[in-house]
């Protein structure tokens, strides 16, 4: 995943960061992050753990994630364990990956679309029963 600016930041496996991270280029995470991540491109190592939301143009996830993910191009590797909703435009999931959450594709992931699902008891039905699957 090369970028024109060739800027690449690495968070090693011995590093724990508590707080939000914002990077204008590529980020490789092998350590533990407790906070939201916003970057151009994210690569997560197998031993990494991220607790917080992820927003990236491209993301390649191999570790644990507990939080929502928004990526234009998303690759979830077989070693990944994700707990949270996934918003994407292009998605690849390797066999064996674990995802506990809802998938939303492209423009259908807007907040204004959510109440159309169901509003019994004041809560969308999807909030009561997380679903796993691809929405085309």
């Amino acid at each position: 995943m090369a970028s024109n600016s060739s800027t690449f930041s690495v968070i090693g496996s011995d590093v724990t960061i508590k707080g939000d991270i914002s990077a204008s280029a590529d980020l490789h995470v092998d350590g533990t992050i407790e906070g939201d991540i916003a970057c151009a491109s994210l690569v997560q190592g197998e031993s990494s753990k991220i607790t917080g939301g992820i927003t990236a143009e491209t993301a390649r996830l191999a570790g644990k994630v507990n939080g929502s993910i928004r990526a234009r191009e998303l690759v979830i590797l077989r070693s990944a364990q994700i707990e949270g909703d996934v918003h994407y435009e292009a998605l690849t999931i390797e066999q064996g990956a674990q995802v506990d959450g809802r998938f939303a594709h492209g423009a259908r992931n807007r907040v204004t679309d959510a109440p159309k699902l169901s509003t019994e008891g004041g809560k969308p039905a999807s909030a009561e029963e997380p679903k796993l699957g691809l929405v085309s």
Side-chain angles (χ1 to χ4, degrees), residues 75-120:
V75 177
I76 302 174
L77 301 177
R78 68 179 48 114
S79 58
Q81 297 176 6
I82 297 172
E83 191 172 322
D85 293 347
V86 178
H87 303 270
Y88 65 93
E89 289 189 26
L91 176 65
T92 303
I93 303 176
E94 285 188 349
Q95 185 174 349
Q98 298 175 24
V99 181
D100 182 12
R102 293 177 297 154
F103 287 88
H105 177 264
R108 285 186 270 263
N109 65 3
R110 284 180 272 139
V111 175
T112 55
D113 291 344
K116 294 178 185 174
L117 298 172
S118 172
T119 54
E120 199 169 308

